[in-house]
Amino acid sequence: MSRESGSVIAAVSGDSIEIDQSAVRSVDAGRVELRQAAAQHVRGDTLDVAESAMLSVRADQVNMRDCATLAVVGERVRLNGSGTVFLFARSVEGDVGNVITPPAAFAFGLGAVVGIGIVRRFRRR
């Protein structure tokens, strides 16, 4: 088992990785545990994360508590007090809410059309 704490790490790989209070660019392992860490890309079979921020996560089993991510891809995902923009999973447990709801998507699309129309009108002058 590899254990890192209190540093900035470029890349880590192995069977079992534990990272506490560190920043890491890339993690690739069978079992990954992150505590109060920041990571860009995390890939593994089993992922257990608490109080961390990640850009992208890909794992068979994901368990996140009080985390923030941009994208999560997994077979079984459990989120507790966590937020993600994109979530792709077969099974999801926990308090999961939509960031982009159908009314929000409609409003964004309408705003984009109106904004583009205004820009085009000013360019003609």
Side-chain angles (χ1 to χ4, degrees), residues 94-108:
D95 52 347
V96 179
N98 292 337
V99 173
I100 301 174
T101 61
F106 178 76
F108 177 77

Side-chain angles (χ1 to χ4, degrees), residues 1-5 9 12 15-22 27 29 31-35 37 48:
M1 179 164 83
S2 177
R3 181 175 175 84
E4 295 288 337
S5 179
I9 306 160
V12 177
D15 292 332
S16 181
I17 304 292
E18 239 181 83
I19 299 174
D20 296 325
Q21 297 179 345
S22 299
V27 178
R31 184 178 146 282
V32 179
E33 287 188 34
L34 298 174
R35 302 283 179 265
D48 189 21

Side-chain angles (χ1 to χ4, degrees), residues 18-83:
E18 239 181 83
I19 299 174
D20 296 325
Q21 297 179 345
S22 299
V24 63
R25 183 174 303 236
S26 175
V27 178
D28 189 1
R31 184 178 146 282
V32 179
E33 287 188 34
L34 298 174
R35 302 283 179 265
Q36 296 178 346
Q40 281 187 350
H41 307 288
V42 181
R43 177 178 287 172
D45 296 329
T46 303
L47 177 63
D48 189 21
V49 185
E51 300 174 359
S52 299
M54 295 153 293
L55 187 62
S56 69
V57 171
R58 183 179 192 123
D60 290 335
Q61 185 170 352
V62 178
N63 186 15
M64 296 183 355
R65 290 175 308 282
D66 301 320
C67 296
T69 59
L70 178 64
V72 176
V73 179
E75 289 290 322
R76 290 178 306 276
V77 176
R78 178 179 291 146
L79 302 174
N80 294 315
S82 299

Side-chain angles (χ1 to χ4, degrees), residues 93-125:
E93 296 178 25
D95 52 347
V96 179
N98 292 337
V99 173
I100 301 174
T101 61
F106 178 76
F108 177 77
L110 182 62
V113 168
V114 169
I116 290 170
I118 291 171
V119 169
R120 283 186 179 174
R121 185 162 293 243
F122 281 121
R123 281 189 175 174
R124 289 182 190 168
R125 292 182 182 187

